Structures are given as structure tokens and as C-alpha cells.
Amino acid sequence: MDRKTFLSYLGTGATALAAASAGLGVLDGKASAMSATADHLFGFDTNRVSGYFDPIAPTDADQLVLPKNFRYDVVAAFNDVINPEGEKFGSGCDFNAFFPIEGSNNRGLLVNNHEYSTIFSIGPVLNDKMTADQLHKNLYYQGMSVIEVYRDEKGVWKMDTKSKYARRINGYTKFEFTGPARGISALKSAATAVGTFANCSGGVTLWNTVLSCEENFAETAAASGLTETHYGWVVEVDPFDKSYLKKHTALGRFNHENTAMGLAADGRVVVYMGDDKKDACVYKFVSKGKFDKSKGRANSALLEEGTLYAANLKTGKWQAVTLEEVAKAVKGKPELQQKFKTQGDIVTYCQEAALLVGGTPTDRPEDIEISPFDHTIFICHTNNDNHGNIHGHITRIFEAGNDLGALEFDFEIFAAGGRQSGFSSPDNLAFDSNGHLWVVTDISSSSQNKGIHKSFMNNGLFVIPTSGPDKGKALQFASGPVECELTGPFFTPDEQTLFLSVQHPGENTKDLSNPTSTWPHRAGEKMARCAVVAVSGFKLGN
């Protein structure tokens, strides 16, 4: 008897227990209650996921493979011209966020992060030392792109290269520091920084701006002779305003993956963040002031003052990462007392400070999302081979009193990667309007299709239905090209389209004349290009 049939024989309580024992948890019934008003996913005459696509099998093909009745359009690929000024789409595309123009689901601004350069964007690096031209390209092609996209009369998604909004934000763009580290000696007294790079995932604020996260910044900063402490922050940009560029130091400096923003019961802004590093902590920031919708973008000031916390999974408490708490922890240790003199020092050297106050080292906490239905917190712990967590897991946090501002919590393992679930190394998350969880995976290119990862083949996109006949079962929706990871899933408001990044196909290429991938297989080309695609559905039977 297969697992789906087995679960159909069980009652609700037993279903949850059986699913958990198989490595997958389930949400409660609150999500499915939204079904009556939810939009129709991908344009089908239903908003249910399960039963309306046939899950694909793992594959090692150099293609972006989707289920029957689905298609994709390449909206923007590496080095494509994005605006009248001739600026080029960057490298290592990751996070996506769609902002409708005048309320349209078919035209808007798409913000995309560019995490790092590859051999296809800067060429082979000889003796581990970049040339001047490579250093320039490395800074230019990282960062972010703001592009205008639209769906034409035939239903095809395209980029509008004449857009007045389209622009690049990269290693040459000037940002303003805010918060406790602005102007401190650890930042060389700087009030501004030149550039953002290593931009991994991100998030959308309650006031309709983007928070972009600087992750593995150290290598680029060192290669370019830049001040390392100017990077590793959360940056804020307004897609519709080219002049709005900030780095919020109150949110801490570490290997940021993404942000997930919500409201505490009393109206304070809460931002959850992961630190994509082995044995790193999970964080949340709680603002001092309260959100006021009428103030619009001025609410950004709430990110300048508040309390940063690290999760202690052993005690179920959020530990304040503050000067007061760190001072207690370093009492009698002169060297650490000298290092942590101000709150600016605390946030600048946040990883060390978080461990000092009792934050729990975890297994590469990457994407964090807040369930829109029950306010539980989902965290992708991608993996950690330091102590045997090879396939990773998804943790679900329950805040005390269902209040995002609470200082105590409980948690469970919602999904465990491995053979029993069919996926390995969960990375980014997204919810659809039914509360179903969409998960992309990040098996390293060097491990794909080998050893214990062989059965998973290429990285993919999975959906875990939280209601319906396939509740609690991970269904594979997409498989990426060779050596890529799929990143940044983001739905349009009507859920007719899912934007998805295909990052670093052919990453292990050593010889440009013999690439390991040539996706997206453009005519006359023999190279791989990272790209953003728009996934949409056909009506059944077409």
C-alpha cells in the first residue's frame, strides 16, 4: 500500500502522527479554510494543488522540467540588456519579488538578487587571482536587478527593456547606514557604504519595499580591497524610487539568507532571519516602535531601533543579543570586553555575540517564512555534514500565545530531507493561498547525482500540500538543469504565475569550450546562463 492510500485510512490525529514518523509534518485545518476565496492557482479551474498536476520524477536532464500542462518563459537571463541605458542583468540570480504596476497581475516590477559570479560571467580565474577586468565584472554583475515585466496578449511573459524603472544595484551603488553601527570605529566611522554584493534571498516589507540580504560577502570584499564590515547587512531598496538605498545595521551582520516580516500582537514589527552557515543561529528583530500603515515607507525607521534576539532551541527562549547581555557573558574576559563596547559592536560581530548569549548553533538556517494562516514560523535548515545532518530539515516554530513578539517558543521538525520525503537540502520556501508549502532544494553541484544524493538527481521544486488527498506528501513540481539550484519562488497576487530563478547551471564548468550545461539553450550559443523564468499553466486537455 502506498503512503497516500495508507493515510486515507487514518483519522486526522493519526494522519499527523503517521506523517511526522515518515519525515513530513502537516499544518492544522486553518489553511484549508481559505480555499473558498483563494485565487485559482496557475489559471486552472480550481485552487487545489494535489490532483491537478502529475508529479514529475527526478531527472538529470539539462532542462527545466515541469509537469504536463505547464510551461515556462525565460524572462531575463544573465547579460540581457534591461533598460535604455544598456545595463545588463546580473549573475547568480536568486530571490524574486513581484510588484504590480497599477494593481495589474500582468505587468509589474520584478526585483531579483544576484548572489555571485561564475566562469560564464567573469571567465576562468587563474591562480586564484582576478584581473582588473574580472574584479570590475565581479562587482558589476552581483547585487540586484529591478526589471519591468509583462504578459503579452498570447500569455507570454517578457521583459520591457524600455522601462523607466529598470536599473542595476550592484557593487558600485552607494548606500546609507542606519542603526547602531552607523559611524562606529568598527566600520571606520562610515555613515555610507559603496556597494552591495553576495545578495542571496530577501523579503518584502509591510510598506512595499524590498529587503535584500548580503550572504557570503567576505571573498568579494577581500578581493576588491573593500572594508569587510561594510557588508553582511540587510539592505533596503524601493523598486519605484531609485534614490532609496539603506543598510540596516540593527538587524545584525552575518551571512544573511532572507527576511520574513510580520507584526507582534501589539503592533511592533518583527523580522525573522537565517544565517546560512554551519553551526549558525536563527534570529529575530523586534522593533521598539509600532507599525502605522498610514505612514507608508516612513515605517522603515522602525528597522533602526529595536532588540535583536537569537533562538535558544534547548530552552525555547529568544535570547537578547544586546550590550547588556553580552557584557554579562564576557565578564572577566578583557579581550572580549574590549571587542564589545557598544551595541554597534554587538551587531557588527553578531555571530560571535549570539553564541555568547546562548543562541543555539544550527544546521545552516536559510530561508524563513511566516505561515500566513497560523503565524507559525518555517525555517529551512539546509544541511550540516559536520555532524551528520546530510539532507537537512524544515523546522516549525510555535511562538508563545501565537504572538510573533513573544520571547518563548516551542518547535517541531515539520519535514526531514531524505529518501522518505524524496528531497534533500531544502533552501527557499513560499506559501500559496491554500497554505501549501513550496520548497526548492540546494544539493551542492559537487554532490548532485552522486553517492547518497544520486536518487534525488538534479535540484528541484517541491510542493507539500497541507490539505486534500495528498496532505503531507512532498510532490516534485520541477527539476532544474545540470548543476543548478532553483531559487526565489514568488507568486503573482492572482497566483496565475510563479517566478523562479535558475541559478548557476553548469557551475562546475572548467573549460568554456566544454560546458557542463548550456541551458537555456539559446540558438547559436554554447554557454549556460542563470535566468528568471515565469511558470504558468495551460488548461487541462490543451
Side-chain angles (χ1 to χ4, degrees), residues 62 119-120 124 482-483 505-519 525-528:
D62 189 31
I119 191 172
F120 299 108
V482 169
E483 295 166 5
E507 183 179 35
N508 287 340
T509 296
K510 305 298 182 185
D511 179 2
L512 286 172
S513 65
N514 187 30
T516 57
S517 170
T518 57
W519 188 90
E525 287 191 354
K526 194 177 180 181
M527 68 173 289

Side-chain angles (χ1 to χ4, degrees), residues 217 228-229 231-233 251-254 256 347-351:
F217 55 87
E228 184 175 304
T229 53
Y231 310 96
W233 304 103
L251 301 183
R253 175 178 165 267
F254 43 88
H256 283 277
V347 295
T348 301
Y349 303 109
C350 191
Q351 290 169 324

Side-chain angles (χ1 to χ4, degrees), residues 22 391 416-423 452 455-456:
H391 297 301
R419 291 173 61 90
Q420 81 287 349
S421 57
F423 66 84
I452 61 169
S455 65
F456 306 105

